[in-house]
């Protein structure tokens, strides 16, 4: 299932026949997978039907998130993890979130350029997605794109975020296991002290471990992990050294992911995380529908009338909001 962002000629290219697309995606047709993700990204009106058709296949793939600052080697590490997973016989999906233009919304697709080793492998599907201004290091369409890859039979889905700072930690709410990549000499030891990054990491990967200062970086991270409060049996983040550009340490990363997966299953944490992910998805869809309704009110008289009353002081904003929600039927 090689990477084909443009579905190309044929009946799939512009198809909106959801059962056909899902059937062909299940059979490993990359054009059908690409078309389904395109429908997801564009928010097409058939999206509810796509979600309904994919629902029976949810929860079968292991979702691994990779995040970290720009330049730490996320794409190279992802590329080598794909190689290791394929050697185990897994079908692998990759969602590489790229920063987008503030003017066109397009992405440079740089991540996929670094993963051309797998472009002709039918057991790998790689899709670059534009963040389109969405904060948190992901795209708003990422959760549903993960469902598409699960439906297409991927055993593992790797989600590589935009290069992020310590506040952009959304990937942890999507992934079963979150890898935080760091590199010596990039100030990451200080970043590790900050609560956001420290709290989302299930595995720390100190990449570019041939650089000076790697021992100090590892010690700093281990020191901060030791300061964290954990109850009996709680997961203690692993720290792994790697040189992804030379494929060194990749087996250790894979072993750390496996160890975390075992812990998740033994402590019923996998179910809890996936239920929390589903709750966040439902909430996002409901809020999106509510925003759409509020947006439609701007073309009428209700919202402008309430705004005028609040501006002149005859109505307070909370009462106005309650009245608006009543008009929306909530």
């Amino acid at each position: 299932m090689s990477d084909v962002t443009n579905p190309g000629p044929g009946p799939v290219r512009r198809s909106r026949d959801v059962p056909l697309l899902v059937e062909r995606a299940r059979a490993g047709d990359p054009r059908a997978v690409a078309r389904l993700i395109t429908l997801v990204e564009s928010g097409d009106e058939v999206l509810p039907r796509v979600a309904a058709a994919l629902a029976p296949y949810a929860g079968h793939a292991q979702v691994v998130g990779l995040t970290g600052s720009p330049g730490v080697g996320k794409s190279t590490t992802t590329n080598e993890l794909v190689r290791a997973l394929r050697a185990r016989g897994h079908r692998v999906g990759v969602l590489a979130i790229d920063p987008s233009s503030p003017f066109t919304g397009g992405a440079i697709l740089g991540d996929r350029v670094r993963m051309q080793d797998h472009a002709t492998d039918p057991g790998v599907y790689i899709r670059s997605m534009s963040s389109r201004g969405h904060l948190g290091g992901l795209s708003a369409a990422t959760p549903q794109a993960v469902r598409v890859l699960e439906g297409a039979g991927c055993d593992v889905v790797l989600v590589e975020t935009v290069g992020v700072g310590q506040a952009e930690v959304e990937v942890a709410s999507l992934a079963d296991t979150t890898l935080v990549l760091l590199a010596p000499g990039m100030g990451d030891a200080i970043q590790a002290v900050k609560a956001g990054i420290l709290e989302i990491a299930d595995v720390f990967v100190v990449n570019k471990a041939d650089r000076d200062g790697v021992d100090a970086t590892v010690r700093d991270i281990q020191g901060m992990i030791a300061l964290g409060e954990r109850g009996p049996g709680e997961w203690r983040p692993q720290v792994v050294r790697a040189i992804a550009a030379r494929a060194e340490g990749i087996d250790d990363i894979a072993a750390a992911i496996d160890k975390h997966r075992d812990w998740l299953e033994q402590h019923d944490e996998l179910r809890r995380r996936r239920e929390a992910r589903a709750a966040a998805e439902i909430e996002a869809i409901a809020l999106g529908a509510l925003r759409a309704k509020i947006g439609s009110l701007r073309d009428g008289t209700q919202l402008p009338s309430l705004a005028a009353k609040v501006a002149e002081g005859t109505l307070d904003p909370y009462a106005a909001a309650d009245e608006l929600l009543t008009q929306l039927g909530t």
Side-chain angles (χ1 to χ4, degrees):
M1 190 166 51
S2 59
D3 171 27
V4 182
T5 298
N6 184 340
V12 165
R13 181 172 182 176
R14 293 186 178 85
S15 174
R16 300 175 78 213
D17 183 338
V18 173
L20 172 66
L21 289 171
V22 171
E23 179 185 351
R24 292 185 60 169
R26 294 284 298 164
D29 183 347
R31 294 176 302 171
V33 178
R35 179 59 180 158
L36 286 168
I37 294 180
T38 296
L39 292 173
V40 165
E41 283 194 285
S42 63
D44 193 280
E45 63 182 20
V46 301
L47 184 52
R49 293 185 358 232
V50 171
L54 292 172
Y57 312 111
H60 298 298
Q62 182 179 11
V63 182
V64 178
L66 296 93
T67 190
S69 304
V72 296
K74 293 188 298 296
S75 294
T76 305
T77 303
T78 301
N79 186 62
E80 294 304 324
L81 269 178
V82 170
R83 197 186 312 279
L85 291 166
R86 289 294 293 138
R88 297 180 176 187
H90 293 315
R91 295 179 74 179
V92 184
V94 179
L95 295 174
I97 316 302
D98 282 299
S100 58
S101 164
F103 305 106
T104 65
I108 196 170
L109 309 185
D111 290 314
R112 223 176 58 221
V113 171
R114 298 187 183 95
M115 300 182 205
Q116 286 304 302
D117 294 354
H118 310 291
T120 59
D121 185 343
V124 180
Y125 182 89
I126 301 171
R127 174 74 173 227
S128 289
M129 299 177 68
S130 166
S131 63
R132 300 188 181 183
H134 185 76
L135 300 178
L138 300 179
S139 161
T142 306
Q144 288 301 322
V146 168
R147 289 187 179 277
V148 171
L149 293 180
E150 284 186 313
C154 290
D155 301 301
V156 182
V157 177
L158 303 177
V159 181
E160 180 193 331
T161 73
V162 174
V164 299
Q166 66 268 19
E168 294 161 310
V169 294
E170 188 177 347
V171 68
S173 66
L174 177 70
D176 300 324
T177 299
T178 301
L179 309 185
V180 173
L181 273 69
L182 312 166
M186 296 185 67
D188 284 320
I190 300 300
Q191 297 301 318
V193 177
K194 299 183 179 179
I197 288 293
L198 180 65
E199 290 171 357
I200 71 164
D202 298 307
V203 179
F204 285 103
V205 177
V206 182
N207 193 29
K208 305 185 180 182
D210 51 343
R211 287 185 174 182
D212 292 339
V214 62
D215 291 336
T217 300
V218 170
R219 280 197 305 272
D220 287 340
I221 298 165
Q222 289 175 333
M224 291 311 303
I225 292 172
L227 291 176
E229 295 183 6
R230 290 179 186 81
E234 287 191 31
W235 174 254
R236 180 186 175 91
Q238 306 288 290
V239 183
V240 180
R241 302 182 190 215
I243 308 173
R246 301 206 297 252
E248 295 179 13
I250 302 302
D251 288 342
D252 293 335
I253 297 173
I257 293 171
D258 290 342
K259 185 175 181 180
H260 185 246
R261 173 65 181 243
D262 291 342
W263 179 86
L264 289 172
E265 293 178 339
Q266 290 168 9
H267 292 79
D268 201 29
E269 183 68 12
L270 186 62
R271 177 194 59 79
R272 191 200 66 78
R273 288 193 180 197
R274 291 184 171 180
E275 287 182 359
R277 182 194 312 169
E281 228 178 319
I282 295 166
E283 182 181 7
I285 292 168
L287 287 174
L290 185 58
R291 288 191 191 100
K293 286 186 176 181
I294 292 174
S296 67
L297 289 178
R298 291 182 181 274
D299 298 328
T301 60
Q302 299 100 322
L303 186 57
S305 174
L306 291 170
K309 291 178 182 179
V310 171
E312 67 187 17
T314 59
L315 189 66
D316 71 84
Y318 285 93
D322 286 340
E323 189 171 335
L324 180 63
L325 291 172
T326 299
Q327 292 175 10
L328 290 172
T330 60

